[in-house]
């Protein structure tokens, strides 16, 4: 009733299409309503993904009097710094790496069952086999080169128009373009003086977010921490990002990179560990921030002491075990990665049991393929697939009509 949930939780509903700065203004008013109804004097803020961006806008733009009403802030995979694949799409800097596409299909989509749930597991596994074979045979690379050439040829007209008339019509999506790509993206999407005049209001919103919030977010959070606000960052890793950007092979939750959500953590490429040279360069006092699986160095994150990483938890999944971690932070005094044995900096998600547990070693929580995927070369599995397909067609078990839908 009136937005109140059991335990004093209030949900701020917003129109995700609108400017996050505008939504932050509504959030400031909503906080006053919450305090009035609850009779509390301060609030804790939890922002997920775009919600994290709105919280960042509030922290940057709200009055100092309003900021004094904030006790703690939890940013759960915030999109404040931008998404790599949207930055690539909006700016036209699309990079298609065959290995990354192969890995995205085999690991990220397979684990999430994103495609398998739509086309069936058997057909999806056939697709995985075909793509992996094409990659190993260097056929996939030829195809991606052609697609990149096509994108470069059409980006000034067709791509710009498609983005302008779809995702680019929402200020919220522009807020998820990294600051370094904004100028190039604006010049691509609104490439003429006529378009710049027509979309002047949108462009104003784009630059307002970048110049007021995005480039100042880290500095502002450090300032507010000095004033007594506690910050918690929750990130995710061990997935390949959407494979259209140059950094898509870096650790992510499948949508936004681990580096972006933590404001600076250093990660290896997916399926690899940080190099021995890099690990040896970490100072002794910062070795504690190195993940047990040697994939992440949290010492370079904005808040190393209060940043947690959850392995194998996809972007759009927010299980209750993750909520318990956040609740623990909000209800504890000065909680850090060392406070509770059950909540160290690096945790892995068990989706079958809905639990979090500490990451303990190199292969702990590994989602890389096992069994036949590692032992049998892709070309053998590809021809086995073709043989089985032919056998089913000959026996009548599979009809061409059924195969084609």
């Amino acid at each position: 009733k009136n937005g109140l949930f059991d335990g004093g939780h209030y949900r701020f509903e917003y129109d995700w299409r609108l400017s996050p700065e505008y939504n932050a203004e509504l959030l400031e008013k909503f906080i006053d309503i919450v305090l009035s109804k609850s009779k509390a004097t301060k609030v804790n803020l939890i922002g997920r993904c775009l919600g994290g961006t709105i919280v960042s806008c509030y922290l940057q733009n709200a009055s100092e009097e309003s900021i004094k009403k904030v006790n703690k802030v939890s940013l759960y995979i915030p999109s404040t710094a931008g998404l790599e694949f949207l930055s690539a799409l909006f700016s036209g800097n699309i990079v298609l790496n065959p290995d990354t596409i192969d890995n995205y299909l085999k690991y990220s989509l397979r684990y999430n069952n994103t495609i398998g749930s739509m086309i069936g597991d058997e057909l999806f596994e056939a697709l995985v086999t075909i793509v992996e074979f094409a990659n190993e045979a260097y056929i996939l690379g030829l195809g991606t080169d052609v697609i990149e050439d096509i994108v470069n040829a059409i980006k000034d007209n067709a791509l710009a128009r498609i983005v302008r008339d779809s995702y680019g019509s929402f200020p919220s999506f522009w807020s998820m373009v990294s600051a370094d790509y904004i100028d190039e993206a604006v010049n691509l999407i609104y490439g003429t003086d006529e378009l710049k005049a027509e979309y002047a209001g949108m462009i104003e919103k784009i630059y307002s977010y970048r110049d007021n919030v995005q480039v100042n977010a880290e500095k502002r959070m450090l300032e507010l921490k000095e004033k007594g606000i506690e910050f918690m960052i929750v990130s995710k890793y061990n997935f390949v990002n959407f494979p259209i950007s140059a950094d898509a092979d870096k650790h992510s939750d499948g949508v936004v990179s681990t580096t972006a959500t933590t404001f600076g953590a250093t990660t290896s490429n997916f399926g690899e560990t940080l190099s021995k040279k890099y690990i040896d360069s970490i100072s002794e006092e910062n070795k504690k921030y190195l993940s047990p699986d040697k994939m992440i160095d949290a010492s370079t994150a904005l808040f190393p002491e209060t940043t947690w990483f959850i392995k194998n938890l996809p972007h759009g999944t927010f299980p209750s075990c993750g909520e318990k971690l956040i609740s623990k932070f909000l209800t504890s005094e000065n909680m850090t990665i060392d406070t509770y044995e059950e909540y160290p900096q690096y945790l892995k998600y068990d989706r079958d049991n809905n639990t979090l547990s500490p990451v303990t070693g190199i292969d702990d929580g590994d989602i890389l393929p096992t069994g036949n995927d590692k032992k049998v070369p892709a070309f053998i599995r590809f021809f086995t697939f073709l043989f089985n397909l032919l056998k089913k067609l000959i026996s009548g078990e599979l009809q061409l009509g059924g195969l084609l839908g």
Side-chain angles (χ1 to χ4, degrees):
K1 185 178 180 181
N2 297 322
L4 177 61
F5 289 75
D6 290 342
H9 293 103
Y10 292 77
R11 185 184 300 275
F12 172 62
E13 301 288 353
Y14 61 90
D15 188 334
W16 60 266
R17 299 167 298 178
L18 302 179
S19 161
E21 289 190 275
Y22 172 76
N23 280 321
E25 293 175 8
L26 300 182
L27 174 60
E28 184 171 0
K29 296 175 182 178
F30 184 73
I31 288 172
D32 287 336
I33 294 173
V34 167
L35 292 177
S36 173
K37 290 187 175 294
S38 66
K39 308 305 179 185
T41 57
K42 288 194 174 187
V43 296
N44 296 321
L45 299 176
I46 306 172
R48 299 172 178 170
C49 191
L50 182 58
T53 299
I54 293 172
V55 169
S56 295
C57 291
Y58 166 77
L59 295 177
Q60 183 66 39
N61 295 336
S63 67
E64 288 302 315
E65 193 61 33
S66 183
I67 294 296
K68 291 177 182 177
K69 302 170 185 176
V70 178
N71 179 43
K72 297 183 181 183
V73 175
S74 174
L75 298 179
Y76 197 170
I77 54 166
S79 60
T80 306
L83 278 59
E84 289 78 7
F85 82 90
L86 272 182
S87 301
L89 178 64
F90 277 49
S91 66
N93 288 299
I94 294 176
V95 176
L96 301 174
N97 182 293
D99 290 336
T100 305
I101 294 172
D102 188 10
N103 287 335
Y104 183 74
L105 190 65
K106 282 192 297 190
Y107 308 138
S108 295
L109 292 187
R110 175 187 272 162
Y111 184 87
N112 295 329
N113 198 31
T114 308
I115 304 299
S117 61
M118 293 188 290
I119 66 175
D121 292 339
E122 186 175 358
L123 190 56
F124 174 71
E125 290 302 322
L127 177 62
V128 169
T129 299
I130 292 170
V131 171
E132 186 174 11
F133 171 72
N135 187 29
E136 291 189 4
Y138 300 102
I139 298 171
L140 186 60
L142 295 175
T144 55
D145 288 344
V146 171
I147 294 173
E148 280 189 17
D149 289 341
I150 293 173
V151 169
N152 287 328
I154 69 169
K155 70 179 184 181
D156 289 337
N157 294 305
L159 179 63
R161 185 173 65 253
I162 291 170
V163 172
R164 188 168 58 245
D165 294 342
S166 57
Y167 297 113
S169 63
F170 301 130
S172 55
F173 277 92
W174 276 101
S175 75
M176 291 184 276
V177 176
S178 302
D180 292 343
Y181 286 88
I182 286 294
D183 289 341
E184 191 173 0
V186 167
N187 287 331
L188 175 66
I189 307 304
Y190 310 112
T192 66
D193 291 340
E194 290 79 7
L195 284 171
K196 284 184 170 65
E198 181 180 352
Y199 291 91
M202 175 68 78
I203 294 173
E204 182 181 2
K205 290 182 176 71
I206 293 168
Y207 279 104
S208 177
Y209 172 74
R210 187 196 71 173
D211 296 339
N212 293 333
V213 180
Q214 195 173 42
V215 299
N216 295 313
E218 295 183 24
K219 178 183 176 183
R220 180 59 172 163
M221 285 189 283
L222 290 171
E223 290 174 350
L224 293 176
K225 183 184 177 184
E226 288 297 313
K227 293 182 178 182
I229 296 179
E230 293 183 46
F231 283 87
M232 171 197 218
I233 309 291
V234 179
S235 183
K236 304 175 180 180
Y237 75 109
N238 209 32
F239 292 103
V240 181
N241 212 334
F242 197 75
I244 65 170
S245 68
D247 294 326
D249 56 351
K250 294 290 186 181
H251 278 281
S252 76
D253 59 13
V255 174
V256 57
S257 76
T258 306
T259 297
T261 55
T262 58
F263 304 96
T266 302
T267 76
S268 66
N269 289 341
F270 175 81
E272 301 176 5
T273 62
L274 293 165
S275 69
K276 183 178 184 303
K277 182 179 180 181
Y278 179 87
I279 293 174
D280 289 344
S281 72
I282 302 174
S283 67
E284 284 304 315
E285 65 176 331
N286 284 336
K287 281 284 200 296
K288 62 178 282 189
Y289 302 116
L290 178 65
S291 63
D293 53 24
K294 294 182 168 53
M295 295 178 182
I296 299 176
D297 171 22
S299 70
T300 57
L302 184 64
F303 298 119
E305 283 292 308
T306 54
T307 296
W308 282 262
F309 300 80
I310 304 178
K311 191 174 187 177
N312 301 340
L313 185 56
H315 180 82
T317 303
F318 302 98
S320 58
C321 57
E323 303 297 331
K324 289 179 181 178
L325 167 64
I326 295 174
S327 179
K328 196 74 169 177
F329 175 81
L330 297 179
T331 56
S332 300
E333 187 173 346
N334 298 315
M335 176 177 165
T336 73
I337 56 172
D338 299 316
T339 303
Y340 298 106
E341 186 176 344
E342 66 269 33
Y343 291 126
Q345 185 153 52
Y346 295 97
L347 299 156
K348 64 178 183 290
Y349 173 57
D350 181 344
R351 62 180 173 182
D352 293 330
N353 297 301
N354 187 30
T355 58
L356 297 178
S357 59
V359 176
T360 59
I362 292 292
D363 296 322
D364 193 20
D366 196 356
I367 64 168
L368 295 177
T370 57
N372 289 337
D373 273 3
K374 281 189 173 181
K375 294 176 182 177
V376 182
F379 77 91
I380 294 179
R381 285 187 281 116
F382 174 69
F383 285 110
T384 300
F385 158 71
L386 290 181
F387 174 77
N388 289 332
L389 178 64
L390 182 61
K391 186 168 67 172
K392 289 181 179 180
L393 287 171
I394 293 174
S395 67
E397 182 181 347
L398 182 65
Q399 302 293 327
L400 277 176
L403 186 66
L404 299 174

